[in-house]
Amino acid sequence: MSRLAVTGATGQVGGRVARLLADLRPRLVVRDASRAPEIPGAVTMQASYDDHDASLAALQGVDVLLMVSASESATRRAEHRTFIRAAAEAGVGHIVYTSFMGAAPDAAFTLGRDHFDAEQAILESGLPHTFLRDNFYLDVLPEFADSEGVIRGPAGDGRVAAVARADVADVAAEVLRAPAAHIGATYRLTGPEALTFTEVAARASAVLDRPVRFEDETVDAAYAWRRAAYGAADFELDAWVSTYTAVRDGQMAEVTDDVHRVAGHPPRSLEDVMLGR
Ligand SMILES: NC(=O)c1ccc[n+]([C@@H]2O[C@H](COP(=O)([O-])OP(=O)(O)OC[C@H]3O[C@@H](n4cnc5c(N)ncnc54)[C@H](OP(=O)(O)O)[C@@H]3O)[C@@H](O)[C@H]2O)c1
């Protein structure tokens, strides 16, 4: 049996993958071992991406690795690069990375640029790889609504083919079970349809049985109230506002059948996600 390592196992995507692959007795590479999920047969190793030596030790003997992209931060690119270097030095056989739809140096969604950088680091490392380019998570769209039920951002009538976290995990698990069949592949993971935020709001409202609506706004207005209300760092404001402008500009609208092709089932809908199906 090949040795599988899963990062992000304390989180949503990595946690689901670890549970789906419990029979393979995965090695869980986590930042805090006390929060690792309890999976019979799994072994826990502690490493954060910015800790080269701990990452190198955690990845020794690993044949196939799921690298869940790190939480957003001003140093995320460097963290990713440190971990990828450790993976290459450890001789990992195949790395599966959770990237982002349209990852590019000039991606409208600013964090898509970090994902492009991570993809480049993996390509430069020579590691056999598979990239899972996820659209936005369907799970988080309803959470964009404020306490009054308003989703506000400069998305206009743009469409977003958001994907369920569970579907990302299902695809990752299939790839990790049979990695050789997926070497060099880039999968673009989307939901079953592309929705405007007006449609997202209406459908979330129906499930939640309370009013949810979308309000378009200008980019300047989007920055102004977010800066005033949250005092967030510039990179966070850029990421937040560009979530909407990427949709407005049509960069998130493409629907693919990659979830169905790889996971073997149709992608979940917004209602499926909200109702925990
Ligand atoms: N496509 C989208 O809409 C979207 C939305 C949100 C996030 N994302 C990206 O997708 C990833 C997975 O999503 P998720 O919902 O599973 O997120 P999540 O529940 O927040 O889990 C993230 C996991 O990554 C681990 N992690 C974060 N930074 C790390 C670092 N520097 N070194 C080592 N481990 C680190 C976390 O560990 P701890 O428990 O120690 O924090 C956690 O286990 C996120 O991390 C983010 O990069 C995408």
Side-chain angles (χ1 to χ4, degrees), residues 24 44 58 139 147 153 211 220 253-255:
L24 300 181
T44 298
D139 316 57
S147 55
D220 285 349
E254 185 188 7
V255 176

Side-chain angles (χ1 to χ4, degrees), residues 141-142 145 149-152 195-215 270-271 274:
L141 297 188
V150 181
I151 301 175
R152 189 178 286 111
L195 302 171
T196 65
F197 270 104
T198 302
E199 291 167 346
V200 168
R203 287 172 52 174
S205 180
V207 174
L208 297 169
D209 199 22
R210 60 177 167 79
V212 182
R213 66 192 164 83
F214 170 64
E215 260 184 38
L270 180 64
E271 286 77 7
M274 293 183 73

Side-chain angles (χ1 to χ4, degrees), residues 81-171:
R81 281 187 172 266
T82 300
F83 188 70
I84 291 161
R85 182 161 58 87
E89 287 170 14
V92 165
H94 184 150
I95 184 169
V96 180
Y97 173 69
T98 59
S99 184
F100 193 77
M101 183 65 88
D106 58 352
F109 178 53
T110 52
L111 298 182
R113 304 171 192 178
D114 290 358
H115 288 289
F116 177 78
D117 188 73
E119 288 189 0
Q120 285 305 115
I122 290 168
L123 292 171
E124 289 160 15
S125 74
L127 282 165
H129 62 272
T130 305
F131 296 145
L132 308 182
R133 287 188 166 187
D134 311 340
N135 202 304
F136 289 116
Y137 294 152
L138 263 176
D139 316 57
V140 302
L141 297 188
E143 296 168 9
F144 290 174
D146 65 16
S147 55
E148 251 106 73
V150 181
I151 301 175
R152 189 178 286 111
D157 294 327
R159 292 186 175 272
V160 55
V163 62
R165 280 190 181 107
D167 287 334
V168 172
D170 290 355
V171 168

